[in-house]
Amino acid sequence: MIVKILSASLAVLALCVRSTYAEGAISSAAGLNQFFGGTRPGTVDFSITGVVTHVVANDSAGNFIVRDETGSANLYLGRPVDRKPGELVVAHGRARLTMQLEPCLWNVSCDVAGIGPTPAYTPTALAEIDSPAHYLQNVETEGIVADAFTDDLDRNYDFLILKDGVHTFPVACPHDPAHEKLIDAHVRVQGLFQPHIYGERKYSGPSILADNASDIVMVKPPPSDPFDFPPLTPARYISPQDIMRMGKRSASGTVLATYANRLVMKASNGRIVCAQLANAEKLPPSGSRITAVGYPETDLLRYHLTRARVRVDYPPSEGSLPSSDDETVRIFRETIGNGNFDNKVFGRTVTIEGIVRLLPSHELERLRLILDAGYVSIPVDFSSNPSADDGIVVGSRIEVTGCVVLETTLWHPNNIFPRVDGFSVVIRRPSDIRIVANPPWWTPGRLSVVIAILLGALVAFLIRNVVIARIGRMKLDERTQLAVELHDSLSQTLTGLACQIAAAQDSLTADPLSAESKLETASRILKSCRTDLRNCLFDLRNDTLAEKDLDIAVKRTLQPFEGETEISTRFNVKRSRINDATSHAVLAIVRELVANAVRHGHAWTVHVAGVLVGDALMFSVKDDGSGFDPENRVGTESGHFGLSSIVERLKRLGGEISISSKPCGGTKVRVKIPIRTQ
């Protein structure tokens, strides 16, 4: 009797509401869904009578699901609502499909006609959830949690990846750090089946929305040891579906190479196994002995462990990485040169030599340079060693030793045969790249210049005495320029010191605190002055300017900073190409940048690299220190003259400087100085 009264009341209320809308208004959930699924922008009134089946918890937009005899529709009031599942309602307002085909509602109101029972959850197998029959329905399912991670776009939500055999399905739920502990657990989930994830993602797949922690119930806890899973046992004539049904498996072996979030390992049984790491997992160093656990899949050539977790059993040791052999290099050259690929060289080590044709941007997640080996262009991946390209420019001839990786797509029911996306040679450590020669100097234009120089030399021979006198004056000018530079540097520092002391004297009586601050700044300036003098004396005493090898001169200059900080240098610059003033400026700039990295950045490692490119000297200093904000750095007003003095030196030489740094992100400084032949 109560149900009949509620139904009659609801019908009368719906009739009253519909009469206020123009003819052609939408009056069903299916009609509203059809309108929003259209391809023509427009606006229409709607009035839907139905039962509230789900209210999205903690949602300020007021999302709730209404179901009538035609299906379910997602409504949102644009404000918090107090609707409850089971209510009989009449929802009405205006629906619009924008020019970008974005659905939106406004002026939505909801009248309650009665209250019925709370809709039940429909038990559904994981493989059967993605069906039109479950569109915006409350479902209940079970599975193993294969992975758990926070949403990249909305940090208030997490995703659990449920797995049941070959089937996987995502579950969206409010963020909770405890979700990571559910990995490998068997859980039961209740929630709303969404055909796509609402929000910024326009082309996302379906998911289950679990509103509360109580919607996820642990049926069976995960193993106490997250690496206690059966070993990945090779088997012949096993289908890709059977491999995916295995469940989680483990594999132990040696890491041959790492790139992006993947690794290639040689398992204990000698087979090559690939692993794609789960979220937040860190790549182990090449050469280490590891145990990896993950879900087996295949590219029809070998096993892949997906969503893998890694445990390092033994760190890398001397000789843990295999070396190149002539037979592997021969097969690699013959097959790659013919446009084919022999799977026997996958995971093997090769040594190749060629000319660099393309360098990547370091803003990319994956770093690969293109090496012209004569018979083919070879991608060289150095993602796991980003500093390996320091000092390398396009046109350099380099020798590369690395692991051959075949890049394929995992099996899919639509792929009859494996799809090979390409291959690359992945380096394992910075020393795997060796510079054989800098870019060739000889070009047609430069050859013309050489001919002109030879003709000029013939004329110069006739006026030898004049040339000798001119060379003497040039040397004198260079020494004079060096003296002026040193004078200007010290003069700037001492002038700043005098100003700070004078300012402190003026405010000593009126503002003692300000005077104390200025004296502290003066003390820092005096310390900077002493440092400059000490550096000059060090250079003169050790004859660094007379050193013919600039790489050795840089290393000798940086000797005082060696200690807990690992400093590596690679300065492929001929000393004969630069004059004394430029050489002194380079040593002073490198010393100042390394000092900043060690003293202020507290860096563990510092890499210094330099090279001559045409008529320009280019070098960089990169560290893994604390970094800073280049736009808001302290300057001379606080007694810090380091970067200011560098800028002044470069200004006199016509040079340029660029600084890439951020707090807690390390620092890389690039310098370019034009040079002239002595």
Side-chain angles (χ1 to χ4, degrees):
M1 178 63 70
I2 296 177
V3 173
K4 291 182 179 180
I5 295 175
L6 288 175
S7 299
S9 302
L10 187 61
V12 173
L13 180 60
L15 182 62
C16 295
V17 173
R18 288 173 185 169
S19 64
T20 63
Y21 287 86
E23 185 177 353
I26 295 175
S27 60
S28 67
L32 185 61
N33 293 330
Q34 183 178 5
F35 172 75
F36 282 148
T39 58
R40 297 181 61 183
T43 303
V44 65
D45 295 327
F46 74 90
S47 177
I48 300 176
T49 303
V51 178
V52 177
T53 60
H54 192 97
V55 179
V56 179
N58 304 318
D59 187 3
S60 60
N63 280 305
F64 62 98
I65 309 300
V66 172
R67 181 173 180 81
D68 61 10
E69 63 275 6
T70 67
S72 299
N74 186 13
L75 303 181
Y76 41 95
L77 301 182
R79 61 185 185 278
V81 298
D82 56 358
R83 298 279 68 81
K84 296 179 180 179
E87 290 183 343
L88 303 174
V89 299
V90 176
H92 44 84
R94 306 206 75 188
R96 182 187 179 193
L97 197 61
T98 67
M99 295 298 295
Q100 292 76 32
L101 302 183
E102 295 282 352
C104 60
L105 301 174
W106 78 91
N107 292 335
V108 180
S109 60
C110 189
D111 301 314
V112 179
I115 300 177
T118 301
Y121 289 88
T122 304
T124 311
L126 199 66
E128 301 172 354
I129 288 179
D130 190 5
S131 167
H134 299 130
Y135 181 79
L136 294 177
Q137 295 294 300
N138 293 327
V139 297
E140 178 182 274
T141 190
E142 294 186 12
I144 303 295
V145 179
D147 202 358
F149 53 89
T150 303
D151 187 358
D152 291 336
L153 299 182
D154 188 350
R155 311 299 291 182
N156 295 318
Y157 275 86
D158 293 340
F159 278 100
L160 305 182
I161 305 300
L162 291 191
K163 186 174 178 64
D164 180 13
V166 300
H167 303 287
T168 59
F169 208 80
V171 176
C173 49
H175 173 66
D176 187 345
H179 286 153
E180 291 188 4
K181 299 180 181 179
L182 293 177
I183 294 178
D184 298 330
H186 186 167
V187 299
R188 181 185 301 113
V189 176
Q190 293 180 340
L192 175 70
F193 170 74
Q194 305 178 108
H196 63 271
I197 300 172
Y198 296 96
E200 296 296 327
R201 298 176 178 87
K202 304 304 180 186
Y203 306 102
S204 62
S207 67
I208 298 173
L209 175 61
D211 289 320
N212 302 294
S214 59
D215 292 335
I216 302 174
V217 178
M218 185 184 298
V219 178
K220 182 180 179 181
S224 56
D225 182 359
F227 294 90
D228 184 18
F229 287 91
L232 182 63
T233 304
R236 283 184 178 272
Y237 309 118
I238 181 173
S239 70
Q241 295 95 327
D242 290 335
I243 292 175
M244 298 175 69
R245 293 191 187 101
M246 285 182 180
K248 213 163 193 178
R249 289 293 187 270
S250 65
S252 298
T254 302
V255 178
L256 299 177
T258 61
Y259 58 100
N261 69 330
R262 301 171 184 268
L263 63 83
V264 179
M265 63 183 293
K266 186 174 184 179
S268 302
N269 56 19
R271 288 180 175 264
I272 302 298
V273 177
C274 302
Q276 178 181 348
L277 271 58
N279 289 275
E281 284 289 304
K282 293 184 177 180
L283 288 169
S286 298
S288 55
R289 292 275 301 176
I290 67 166
T291 297
V293 296
Y295 291 93
E297 294 189 34
T298 181
D299 58 5
L300 306 187
L301 296 174
R302 64 191 62 80
Y303 284 115
H304 290 251
L305 293 177
T306 62
R307 305 184 189 278
R309 304 176 70 180
V310 173
R311 180 187 68 199
V312 177
D313 298 323
Y314 299 100
S317 59
E318 186 69 26
S320 59
L321 289 174
S323 57
S324 176
D325 61 86
D326 295 338
E327 180 64 16
T328 301
V329 174
R330 183 188 64 79
I331 297 175
F332 179 80
R333 288 174 59 95
E334 290 178 355
T335 57
I336 294 299
N338 294 327
N340 302 316
F341 193 89
D342 192 329
N343 194 41
K344 289 186 295 186
V345 302
F346 176 78
R348 303 282 291 273
T349 302
V350 298
T351 299
I352 54 178
E353 184 176 315
I355 298 174
V356 177
R357 296 303 184 195
L358 180 66
L359 283 172
S361 167
H362 275 257
E363 279 69 32
L364 299 175
E365 179 182 359
R366 190 170 181 185
L367 303 176
R368 301 202 304 181
L369 60 84
I370 303 301
L371 189 67
D372 183 359
Y375 52 93
V376 72
S377 294
I378 300 174
V380 178
D381 192 301
F382 58 99
S383 303
S384 59
N385 296 271
S387 63
D389 71 329
D390 287 351
I392 297 176
V393 296
V394 173
S396 298
R397 174 170 288 277
I398 64 174
E399 182 184 80
V400 174
T401 300
C403 177
V404 181
V405 173
L406 184 63
E407 299 172 4
T408 58
T409 300
L410 293 178
W411 176 85
H412 185 272
N414 295 331
N415 294 341
I416 300 176
F417 297 107
R419 192 182 79 191
V420 178
D421 297 324
F423 74 96
S424 61
V425 175
V426 180
I427 70 167
R428 295 81 50 90
R429 54 203 168 196
S431 58
D432 283 344
I433 294 182
R434 183 177 68 87
I435 298 177
V436 176
N438 288 320
W441 190 86
W442 293 101
T443 63
R446 287 177 175 170
L447 182 59
S448 301
V449 173
V450 170
I451 295 175
I453 291 176
L454 291 176
L455 293 175
L458 181 61
V459 175
F461 179 75
L462 302 176
I463 52 174
R464 180 171 178 274
N465 293 333
V466 177
V467 172
I468 292 176
R470 184 172 300 173
I471 291 175
R473 288 195 297 271
M474 288 174 60
K475 290 294 183 179
L476 179 61
D477 291 343
E478 288 176 359
R479 296 293 181 177
T480 302
Q481 181 181 353
L482 176 58
V484 170
E485 181 185 345
L486 293 175
H487 174 270
D488 289 348
S489 176
L490 294 177
S491 177
Q492 180 188 14
T493 307
L494 292 174
T495 300
L497 175 63
C499 292
Q500 290 294 329
I501 293 175
Q505 289 176 337
D506 293 339
S507 57
L508 186 60
T509 304
D511 190 354
L513 293 178
S514 175
E516 182 179 354
S517 174
K518 290 179 172 58
L519 288 175
E520 290 178 356
T521 302
S523 177
R524 288 195 295 270
I525 295 174
L526 184 59
K527 183 178 179 181
S528 175
C529 183
R530 290 199 306 269
T531 301
D532 287 342
L533 285 173
R534 186 169 59 250
N535 290 338
C536 291
L537 292 175
F538 179 85
D539 292 341
L540 295 174
R541 190 179 300 118
N542 290 275
D543 294 329
T544 52
L545 290 178
E547 178 59 58
K548 296 182 179 180
D549 190 332
L550 194 57
D551 186 64
I552 296 177
V554 171
K555 290 179 179 178
R556 289 170 58 183
T557 301
L558 299 180
Q559 282 179 352
F561 303 103
E562 294 180 350
E564 296 183 359
T565 302
E566 180 183 346
I567 301 175
S568 63
T569 63
R570 186 164 62 191
F571 237 85
N572 297 311
V573 178
K574 292 183 178 180
R575 175 63 176 84
S576 58
R577 290 288 307 279
I578 61 177
N579 56 38
D580 288 347
T582 302
S583 176
H584 179 269
V586 169
L587 297 178
I589 292 172
V590 169
R591 175 167 46 216
E592 184 65 34
L593 293 175
V594 172
N596 287 342
V598 174
R599 296 169 183 167
H600 304 302
H602 307 290
W604 289 96
T605 59
V606 178
H607 300 281
V608 181
V611 68
L612 281 174
V613 181
D615 293 331
L617 168 62
M618 304 176 68
F619 64 91
S620 65
V621 177
K622 180 180 179 182
D623 67 76
D624 58 359
S626 58
F628 65 98
D629 182 0
E631 299 297 329
N632 299 303
R633 64 178 185 264
V634 294
T636 56
E637 69 280 356
S638 300
H640 297 273
F641 287 89
L643 288 178
S644 298
S645 64
I646 290 175
V647 172
E648 288 297 324
R649 290 180 189 274
L650 292 175
K651 184 177 180 181
R652 288 191 292 270
L653 296 172
E656 303 173 2
I657 183 172
S658 63
I659 303 174
S660 301
S661 182
K662 60 182 179 180
C664 303
T667 301
K668 184 168 185 178
V669 180
R670 297 180 178 89
V671 175
K672 179 179 180 181
I673 300 176
I675 63 172
R676 60 183 178 86
T677 305
Q678 296 195 104

